Amino acid sequence: MAMLRPSAKSVSNLMRMVGSSCTCPAHTALGTTHVHGPKCSHRRASAQTPRSEYAFEMATSTVRVGAGATREIGMDLANLKAKRVMVFTDPNIAKLQPLQTVVEALDRARVKYTVYKDVRVEPSDTSFQAAIDAARAYGPDAFVAVGGGSTIDTAKAANLYTVFGDAHLLDFVNAPLGRGRAVDRPLLPLIAVPTTAGTGSECTGSAIFDLKSKGAKTGIADRALKPMLGIIDPLNTRSMPMQVRLASGLDVLCHAIESYTAIPYHMRGPAPENPLLRPAYQGANPISDIWSSHALRMVAKALPRAIADPEDLDAQDTMTLAAAYAGIGFGNGGVHLMHGCSYGISGLNRSYQHPEYPTEHALCPHGISVAVTSPAVAEFTASMNPDRHLEIASVLGADVTNAKREDAGIVLGDALRRFLQGLGVPNGIAAFGYSTSDIGALVESILPQHRVLKLSPRQTGAEQIASILERSLKNY
């Protein structure tokens, strides 16, 4: 007997009837989720209906903060009884004081080590694999990362795939680009020594890289990846070129904004069958909100000062803390569309080379690629939480005294444009060589970023992403 299929019209009528009796997000046109609201009568579901998320977790690294704290790292590793340490850095930091301080500390503590100096700024699958191969060959019992997010993320990957020695690179990479395997046993100790004030990677379980075969950035996200200790020593950021300081600071800004405006954790979707499977990026929650909102206020005041005056050490020190604060916030709350779009923008870049970055390959710094879509993203997401968007606009200097909630997106979008222009940020994605004809390819590379796109407070598909990119071609 043939199965009877309802007509499109009957389905539409049924959905309209359901929606008319309930205003929870699962039934509204602007809904961002299929999880029913707490007062929805339709929550009385069958036993087969997955339970919606009801819990969130807070995970971060131990951090040690203080000028000169790097000198203690040798004692830390000696306390761990480490016998074979692998130190990761990039070719530029290898010549500078932060690495020298670490090496001297290891020598004083008589800890044996090797230094891997070939970390790629903005890592790729190839550079990750080279680092993994080197770590597997050396067989360390502890890791140290001295550098920015690229170095810390590379060390995280080397640690993971050293412990899981038979794993393929894509095994732990976020689905759908990878297999999304969970990390089900402890990794080796990793101590992160950040030399930038931006990524917050010293506090998170994420490792981001460029998957060249797919023309997109992706990564690995699991709490097990987070460093055992992050040493936040402002002396290590003194050598940052101004453009690196700018890009890393913009990353902090967007970490804070996106975490604070992400979909609430209880609306993300069904609860995991096993807590091991609860994602590191859970959605906005009461604890990550505190860290993210405070980081936002720190960045709004300190970043313009740090860019305007290279000798403003107080502003630089504030940014090192802001990076960690935002790292704790987004490391548990997550990021969404600004970062999601950035992975396509930087991943498909073929010719743009940002000033003051000492690399031989085309490079659009992560923080820059994230920030250029922030005004358009804010305009898109504001309708789902206008009060928070207006709050952010106020922090960035906008007068919101008489602002209407329905204008929150415009108000914050304009505030972000003023903030970015004042810092000298490139004028939209057109500055990287993109035009309207590239939008389709960019959308294709962005759509697989499920891990972050699903945290958008509004449902987001190809059409919405294309619109955000179109509006981001030029910002000023």
Side-chain angles (χ1 to χ4, degrees):
M1 178 177 170
M3 182 182 293
L4 295 176
R5 298 183 182 276
S7 67
K9 183 176 180 181
S10 64
V11 171
S12 176
N13 288 337
L14 178 60
M15 291 302 293
R16 190 158 44 246
M17 290 169 62
V18 170
S20 66
S21 64
C22 177
T23 58
C24 85
H27 300 140
T28 58
L30 290 176
T32 63
T33 177
H34 295 295
V35 177
H36 298 274
K39 297 182 180 179
C40 172
S41 61
H42 300 92
R43 292 191 68 169
R44 295 190 291 273
S46 69
Q48 286 74 37
T49 302
R51 182 182 184 184
S52 61
E53 183 60 281
Y54 61 94
F56 63 92
E57 299 182 19
M58 197 69 196
T60 189
S61 308
T62 297
V63 294
R64 180 181 301 148
V65 182
T70 308
R71 294 193 294 268
E72 298 180 353
I73 195 169
M75 291 181 282
D76 290 317
L77 291 158
N79 292 339
L80 290 169
K81 305 293 191 291
K83 306 294 185 186
R84 200 171 174 83
V85 176
M86 192 165 188
V87 180
F88 281 80
T89 195
D90 67 54
N92 185 52
I93 298 296
K95 307 169 190 172
L96 301 176
Q97 186 62 47
L99 181 68
Q100 183 179 338
T101 302
V102 167
V103 166
E104 289 173 353
L106 295 178
D107 287 337
R108 282 196 305 271
R110 298 182 180 179
V111 174
K112 292 183 179 179
Y113 63 90
T114 188
V115 179
Y116 181 86
K117 302 178 182 179
D118 296 327
V119 169
R120 186 183 196 264
V121 177
E122 302 293 340
S124 67
D125 47 357
T126 303
S127 72
F128 261 24
Q129 190 62 59
I132 291 164
D133 291 344
R136 285 173 170 172
Y138 181 68
D141 58 5
F143 291 85
V144 171
V146 186
S150 296
T151 297
I152 300 172
D153 287 2
T154 299
K156 290 175 183 176
N159 188 0
L160 174 65
Y161 290 95
T162 297
V163 172
F164 291 84
D166 58 348
H168 184 275
L169 180 61
L170 291 180
D171 283 352
F172 292 97
V173 171
N174 305 316
L177 294 175
R179 300 179 184 92
R181 177 179 169 185
V183 181
D184 57 6
R185 62 179 184 264
L187 303 186
L188 296 168
L190 165 61
I191 299 178
V193 184
T195 61
T196 63
T199 67
S201 188
E202 67 274 12
C203 297
T204 75
S206 298
I208 306 300
F209 69 96
D210 190 356
L211 185 58
K212 292 293 187 181
S213 61
K214 300 294 184 181
K217 277 190 179 289
T218 184
I220 307 161
D222 195 292
R223 293 177 187 85
L225 266 69
K226 69 183 188 299
M228 180 196 79
L229 172 65
I231 298 179
I232 301 172
D233 183 344
L235 299 181
N236 292 329
T237 69
R238 300 294 189 240
S239 58
M240 266 198 297
M242 189 56 66
Q243 286 298 318
V244 177
R245 196 178 301 281
L246 171 62
S248 57
L250 292 171
D251 200 19
V252 183
L253 173 72
C254 294
H255 285 157
I257 292 174
E258 290 174 88
S259 175
Y260 198 50
T261 59
I263 189 170
Y265 75 94
H266 61 277
M267 296 173 66
R268 187 189 70 246
E273 295 179 4
N274 186 315
L276 180 68
L277 303 177
R278 181 167 283 115
Y281 287 6
Q282 302 162 92
N285 61 76
I287 298 180
S288 66
D289 285 351
I290 294 170
W291 293 95
S292 297
S293 61
H294 192 66
L296 173 67
R297 285 161 171 77
M298 295 169 77
V299 175
K301 293 179 180 178
L303 183 57
R305 287 172 48 200
I307 299 305
D309 181 5
E311 301 304 317
D312 190 338
L313 302 185
D314 179 66
Q316 293 178 26
D317 294 355
T318 298
M319 286 303 301
T320 63
L321 273 181
Y325 284 24
I328 296 170
F330 93 86
N332 293 279
V335 290
H336 52 85
L337 296 178
M338 298 174 196
H339 271 74
C341 289
S342 80
Y343 296 149
I345 293 166
S346 56
L348 292 183
N349 174 39
R350 295 291 176 265
S351 59
Y352 179 77
Q353 175 67 56
H354 198 73
E356 295 188 16
Y357 273 77
T359 63
E360 297 178 356
H361 55 272
L363 188 147
C364 178
H366 173 66
I368 300 291
S369 66
V370 171
V372 289
T373 63
S374 61
V377 168
E379 290 168 349
F380 173 71
T381 58
S383 62
M384 299 310 294
N385 199 330
D387 292 335
R388 285 200 175 187
H389 286 68
L390 287 173
E391 178 187 347
I392 296 167
S394 176
V395 171
L396 293 176
D399 181 359
V400 300
T401 306
N402 298 312
K404 298 178 181 178
R405 297 176 80 246
E406 57 266 31
D407 295 332
I410 296 172
V411 174
L412 178 53
D414 287 345
L416 281 164
R417 290 185 183 94
R418 288 192 297 271
F419 191 79
L420 299 181
Q421 188 172 23
L423 294 171
V425 176
N427 187 11
I429 65 174
F432 312 139
Y434 292 116
S435 66
T436 301
S437 63
D438 298 309
I439 299 296
L442 286 167
V443 170
E444 255 185 71
S445 70
I446 293 166
L447 282 174
Q449 307 295 335
H450 292 183
R451 178 179 64 102
V452 293
L453 296 185
K454 69 182 180 182
L455 293 177
S456 167
R458 288 184 63 185
Q459 282 184 330
T460 308
E463 183 180 346
Q464 291 78 21
I465 294 171
S467 175
I468 288 169
L469 294 170
E470 286 277 5
R471 297 202 312 277
S472 301
L473 283 167
K474 287 189 179 292
N475 283 326
Y476 323 126

